[in-house]
Amino acid sequence: IHHTQEAFVKAELDGTSETNRQYLAGFYDSKANTIHLNLVKMAEHMIIQGHRWLNTLEHVTIHLLLGIIEDIAPGTRGELFKDLQSLEKELMLDGKYTVEFASKYKDEKSQQEEAVNEFIADIASGNLDIRALEKTKIQILANFFTKALSQIGINIRPYVRKGESIFNLARLIRRIF
């Protein structure tokens, strides 16, 4: 946890971060297996976004889980990204994650990873409220989570039948870390 912008930037430059991310509220350094949180930027984001919940902690911790899944089942990240593209259409999100959010990153791998992470983080933080979705959309969303976790041998299909249960699953993933 970095209490100043300078400390965050120094940690980034000293670490294995591939790009200068000083504008971010946090990042996960996969090579050092370290999460860095920038408290100054987190506070700024909360002020700018107003009522919207900050999802920095959820976002960076989901990197850990999806990294494990990708290590066990290479290619899963790309599959989840494709699934997310379909989900965005179903949920009328019009490229919010796979185009808008992903465009902040240079390479395809980062774009895919960041888009999927941000989507799950928004569900876990409550920024994307899925509890009132119609049943067909809940099933599509359930398939997304089921596919991801099945890659590491976890069967959640019986537990994700309602928007509330998917919301709770995303929040549980957050609490693991």
Side-chain angles (χ1 to χ4, degrees), residues 128-140:
L128 181 59
D129 192 355
I130 56 158
R131 293 174 282 188
L133 288 178
E134 58 191 58
K135 194 170 186 166
T136 56
K137 292 182 181 176
I138 293 297
Q139 190 55 50
I140 294 167

Side-chain angles (χ1 to χ4, degrees), residues 3-14:
H3 298 277
T4 67
Q5 180 68 18
E6 294 77 21
F8 182 78
V9 171
K10 182 179 179 337
E12 182 179 31
L13 295 173
D14 289 348

Side-chain angles (χ1 to χ4, degrees), residues 64-81:
L64 294 168
L65 178 62
L66 291 181
I68 291 167
I69 292 171
E70 185 67 20
D71 287 346
I72 293 170
T76 301
R77 178 186 301 115
E79 291 176 30
L80 290 174
F81 183 80

Side-chain angles (χ1 to χ4, degrees), residues 1 8 15 18-19 28 36 42 46 55 91 97 101 107 111 116 119 124 130 142 161 163-164 176-177:
I1 297 176
F8 182 78
E18 294 176 11
T19 59
Y28 172 61
H36 293 272
M42 289 173 77
M46 289 179 76
N55 73 355
L91 300 176
Y97 300 97
F101 193 80
D107 64 281
Q111 290 173 346
V116 171
F119 174 70
I130 56 158
R161 301 198 189 283
E164 183 72 32
I176 289 171
F177 299 103

Side-chain angles (χ1 to χ4, degrees), residues 3 13 16 23 52 71 74 104-105 111-112 114 117 126 150 154 165 177:
H3 298 277
L13 295 173
T16 56
Y23 62 92
R52 186 171 181 243
D71 287 346
K104 298 176 183 178
Y105 300 88
Q111 290 173 346
Q112 291 176 351
E114 296 297 338
N117 281 11
S150 71
I154 299 173
S165 60
F177 299 103

